[in-house]
Amino acid sequence: MPGARLTQEERRLIAAGLTAGLGYGEIARQLARPTSTVTREIARNGGPSGYRADNAQRATVRRSRRSKAAAPRVPEGGASTGYGRDPAAVEEYATQLAELLAQLGMPRMVGRVLACLYVTNCGSLTAAELVQRLGVSPASVSKAIGYLEGQELVRREREEGGLRERYVVDDDIWYRAMLASAQRNTVLAEFTRNGADLLGTATPAGARMAEASVFLDLAGTDIVRAVQQRRRQKGNG
């Protein structure tokens, strides 16, 4: 049950739970579903104030039909290549991953591009393949890739012969992204430390800045330590 798609009756129970003012966790417990499933379902179908069971059911049917229709056209290197995977299920998962990334603050198109790359077996696609798979403009893909590169989540590789670039995700992308985050924390820690000195640590504003500086510096150090520890574990594995 937890891995199966929501039924129309379950969607009606979700709508009833929202109307009754229940939290996502309580609704999930009543359905014997993960809270993340309920959260994604509500977020992608109008949010807590706009969720309608019948509309959500129709939207799911439409997405499923689009996935099945698009599956034969997946280019080489796409999500459905090999391993006996169900193309429709993989595409549905990529959609859910993109929605989750958007909820966590990532721009929606950026999340779609990252999710599309992340579920491929080879971990790379060209701009043309991303445009075809996502049904968006080359400019949208280019802008999203620029954002992901800035976050160290994607790198470029020139194809043999130098005619096209491929955008690549690999096992190290989250390490690089977390280290980039740690570096940003360090910069912000230094800036808030300067603010504390300027305002005076004896003042409420200065004390607030000083506390922020200490926390950001500690958070950056913890991130770097966690990345280094995981790399050592992988090296010994």
Side-chain angles (χ1 to χ4, degrees):
M1 173 65 74
R5 293 184 180 181
L6 290 168
T7 66
Q8 188 164 14
E9 180 58 27
E10 285 177 313
R11 291 189 166 95
R12 287 173 179 160
L13 292 173
I14 289 174
L18 290 172
T19 300
L22 299 181
Y24 291 2
E26 179 60 28
I27 294 173
R29 282 190 290 274
Q30 291 184 1
L31 298 178
R33 293 278 192 169
T35 302
S36 58
T37 298
V38 173
T39 301
R40 287 193 299 268
E41 168 68 15
I42 295 169
R44 73 189 306 185
N45 291 294
S49 61
Y51 185 84
R52 301 293 183 273
D54 291 343
N55 292 344
Q57 181 70 17
R58 285 193 291 269
T60 299
V61 171
R62 287 195 300 269
R63 285 192 294 267
S64 178
R65 287 173 178 169
R66 285 200 302 267
S67 297
K68 291 177 181 178
R73 296 192 296 273
V74 174
E76 184 179 356
S80 65
T81 304
Y83 299 93
R85 302 190 302 183
D86 178 2
V90 173
E91 186 166 340
E92 174 68 12
Y93 176 81
T95 298
Q96 293 177 356
L97 176 57
E99 291 290 337
L100 178 59
L101 292 172
Q103 291 174 40
L104 296 175
M106 184 174 284
R108 189 168 299 276
M109 180 53 62
V110 175
R112 291 185 66 197
V113 170
L114 181 59
C116 188
L117 284 165
Y118 214 73
V119 300
T120 60
N121 286 322
C122 63
S124 70
L125 292 169
T126 65
E129 288 169 339
L130 284 165
V131 166
Q132 181 176 351
R133 287 187 58 77
L134 297 174
V136 298
S137 69
S140 296
V141 168
S142 178
K143 186 175 180 180
I145 290 294
Y147 181 100
L148 290 167
E149 284 186 307
Q151 300 295 314
E152 299 285 347
L153 287 169
V154 165
R155 59 182 174 83
R156 296 174 187 248
E157 280 186 358
R158 182 72 63 177
E159 286 190 337
E160 188 175 352
L163 297 179
R164 295 188 305 177
E165 286 184 329
R166 299 191 72 85
Y167 306 123
V168 182
V169 295
D170 54 34
D171 292 344
D172 286 338
I173 65 166
W174 294 112
Y175 297 128
R176 293 195 301 270
M178 294 304 290
L179 288 175
S181 175
Q183 291 170 357
R184 289 191 292 271
N185 278 356
T186 299
V187 171
L188 190 52
E190 180 65 24
F191 194 81
T192 52
R193 188 177 303 115
N194 292 340
D197 293 340
L198 174 67
L199 296 167
T201 55
T203 67
R208 191 180 307 123
M209 286 287 187
E211 175 61 25
S213 175
V214 171
F215 175 76
L216 289 166
D217 195 35
L218 179 62
T221 301
D222 286 346
I223 289 171
V224 172
R225 185 181 295 116
V227 170
Q228 292 172 341
Q229 180 181 358
R230 181 54 184 157
R231 279 182 163 167
R232 286 194 297 269
Q233 290 172 344
K234 285 188 67 178
N236 296 329

